[in-house]
Amino acid sequence: MKIPFFDLKRQSASLRGELQSAMQQVMDSGLFIRGEKVARFEDQWAKALGVEHCVALGNGTDALYVVLKALGVKTGDEVIVPAVSWVSTASVVMQLGAKVVCVDVDEQGLIDVKKVEEKINPRTKAIVPVHLFGQMADMIALRAICDHHQLLLVEDAAQAHLSSIGGKYPGTTSDAATFSFYPTKNLGAFGDAGVIVTRNAVLAQQCRMLANQGGLARNEHRVLGITSRMDELQAAMLLVKLPYLDQWNERRRAIATQYNQQLTELAEILLPIEIGGNYHTYHQYVIRSKWREPLREYLQSEGVSTDVHYPVALPFLPILRDLGYTKEEFPVAYLASQEMLSLPIFPELSDEEVQYVCDRIKKFVEGNVLTAIQ
Ligand SMILES: *Cc1c(COP(=O)(O)O)cnc(C)c1O
């Protein structure tokens, strides 16, 4: 059996008619930028989260860049981020001239809230937690820290579409949250797309200006901005898919449960844990093993594709080399980067396919595969 790590073709096939007619509508409208579908998607995404304002942009990285710029992050500031994330969480901070201050993560890869306060100093401007793999960081603790030290709190929710903690969605307890609709995310467009959500009307307007060359109207350029727009076609695709997001997340959770039940108590394999209060949407299902590389090779030889998110933790990326971060400062993130392995998880994956993956992992651990290499 061949199990792809991710297969978007299955989802597109199941929605073919709806997607095609939405594409046709965009084509017939002749409006490819700033049409009514972008505004409608902004409205629906804001309503889905219960956050007042939503600003559509070209991608999730720009969303982070624009909101941090709108909040005044600049040269001389420090921004606290978790040591495990996609590069964008750190690179946007650097683009703004500010210093990236990494904090080690917990066993689930989320910012370790116990280690945040020791990194705060008078230059600290903001904390950007990442809701890694679909599970939200401890927003109650982070809210308290930010209130106490008067810091901005911006959530990188690129992997947390309708995830919640304590029943609260991204954007409802922070200054803002950003999302990406990159095709492989839990809600994905047909190319790049992203949004900023915020309860702050003034901030939303500032973000809109910054993403539109510094103005709200044509030929108005009040501040130095960039061009980052969501295409009408992307909004059309997202509007078709949004009604299915809840059931897709539920299906991901069911797959995670099947993995958990099948792989529990397997020596040498650590399973992801859903932290209390979290509604985990399993953007990724990430196990850990010190035998990651041989396990990965074995699974590939048996037809199962896997992935590694992320082989290099943020502090050790070449772009942060000048900061001189060491492995000793980030023991949990470093070990995680050596051991994490992402298994196939997407709504269209069948129970039989998940079972096949589990059986192969069991064979690796319990059969003679692992003993042979030990
Ligand atoms: C996907 C992702 C982004 C960036 O989104 P793009 O739309 O690819 O720019 C940022 N942060 C995290 C954690 C992501 O997973």
Side-chain angles (χ1 to χ4, degrees):
M1 211 191 267
K2 275 239 178 309
I3 317 280
F5 179 69
F6 183 76
D7 182 6
L8 209 44
K9 293 191 294 295
R10 299 187 194 182
Q11 189 180 83
S12 303
S14 76
L15 300 175
R16 180 172 293 272
E18 280 187 81
L19 292 168
Q20 276 180 337
S21 89
M23 280 181 195
Q24 186 78 43
Q25 280 169 25
V26 174
M27 189 161 82
D28 293 345
S29 77
L31 273 177
F32 298 162
I33 295 281
R34 298 186 141 229
E36 56 93 24
K37 286 182 191 291
V38 171
R40 192 136 49 89
F41 179 72
E42 286 179 336
D43 189 51
Q44 288 193 12
W45 189 244
K47 285 208 172 73
L49 297 168
V51 180
E52 285 83 350
H53 309 282
C54 176
V55 180
L57 295 94
N59 57 71
T61 305
D62 285 353
L64 271 173
Y65 173 83
V66 164
V67 76
L68 291 176
K69 187 172 168 81
L71 286 166
V73 172
K74 58 182 187 316
T75 307
D77 292 337
E78 294 188 3
V79 175
I80 290 174
V81 306
V84 176
S85 183
W86 170 242
V87 59
S88 301
T89 317
S91 64
V92 294
V93 171
M94 300 174 73
Q95 301 284 2
L96 290 164
K99 181 179 171 187
V100 176
V101 175
C102 294
V103 170
D104 206 3
V105 293
D106 63 19
E107 295 298 323
Q108 304 310 311
L110 303 170
I111 190 165
D112 188 338
V113 293
K114 296 187 303 298
K115 295 180 182 157
V116 169
E117 281 191 297
E118 67 200 50
K119 303 269 180 156
I120 295 173
N121 65 46
R123 291 180 298 281
T124 309
K125 178 96 176 181
I127 302 179
V128 182
V130 177
H131 304 318
L132 198 74
F133 305 145
Q135 171 146 260
M136 286 180 66
D138 185 345
M139 291 304 293
I140 292 176
L142 291 168
R143 181 70 271 164
I145 292 169
C146 288
D147 286 344
H148 186 243
H149 297 274
Q150 300 199 317
L151 302 176
L152 298 163
L153 181 55
V154 174
E155 300 164 76
D156 182 344
Q159 304 184 2
H161 303 81
L162 299 189
S163 300
S164 62
I165 187 163
K168 296 199 163 73
Y169 289 121
T172 57
T173 63
S174 59
D175 291 286
T178 61
F179 289 88
S180 163
F181 302 105
Y182 182 80
T184 62
K185 308 285 185 185
N186 286 26
L187 178 61
F190 271 43
D192 283 310
V195 295
I196 296 161
V197 296
T198 175
R199 297 171 292 168
N200 180 337
V202 176
L203 178 63
Q205 282 296 63
Q206 278 166 338
C207 290
R208 236 178 244 294
M209 286 202 311
L210 284 172
N212 191 44
Q213 288 297 344
L216 296 173
R218 228 165 94 85
N219 299 320
E220 175 190 276
H221 310 289
R222 290 196 264 176
V223 291
L224 181 62
I226 61 171
T227 299
S228 185
R229 294 177 291 234
M230 186 187 288
D231 298 329
E232 188 72 352
L233 191 62
Q234 303 310 340
M237 300 297 95
L238 292 170
L239 281 167
V240 168
K241 290 185 173 194
L242 180 54
Y244 299 96
L245 180 55
D246 265 322
Q247 72 194 57
W248 286 338
N249 282 341
E250 278 294 306
R251 175 64 193 146
R252 282 173 183 269
R253 289 174 59 79
I255 292 170
T257 301
Q258 193 181 345
Y259 275 135
N260 287 341
Q261 285 168 350
Q262 294 289 322
L263 302 178
T264 192
E265 286 168 31
L266 219 50
E268 311 290 348
I269 305 282
L270 223 62
L271 303 181
I273 291 170
E274 182 165 333
I275 299 163
N278 247 291
Y279 181 81
H280 194 326
T281 55
Y282 290 96
H283 173 56
Q284 300 296 351
Y285 184 89
V286 180
I287 62 170
R288 285 178 57 168
S289 172
K290 64 177 169 192
W291 306 103
R292 177 179 73 191
E293 293 310 322
L295 172 59
R296 197 174 181 202
E297 275 169 36
Y298 174 72
L299 290 174
Q300 193 60 59
S301 73
E302 294 285 311
V304 177
S305 295
T306 58
D307 206 344
V308 172
H309 302 90
Y310 297 93
V312 182
L314 291 184
F316 315 121
L317 288 178
I319 57 167
L320 288 184
R321 194 182 297 139
D322 289 351
L323 295 176
Y325 284 132
T326 63
K327 289 171 195 167
E328 292 70 34
E329 291 172 89
F330 302 95
V332 185
Y334 181 73
L335 195 63
S337 69
Q338 307 300 300
E339 296 187 343
M340 290 193 292
L341 182 67
S342 305
L343 301 184
I345 190 164
F346 52 97
E348 298 76 20
L349 201 61
S350 72
D351 291 351
E352 293 68 34
E353 289 175 308
V354 176
Q355 190 60 52
Y356 180 86
V357 177
C358 293
D359 290 344
R360 291 299 156 301
I361 296 173
K362 282 183 198 168
K363 185 144 178 259
F364 176 83
V365 176
E366 295 174 343
N368 48 16
V369 189
L370 187 52
T371 16
I373 57 172
Q374 250 168 333

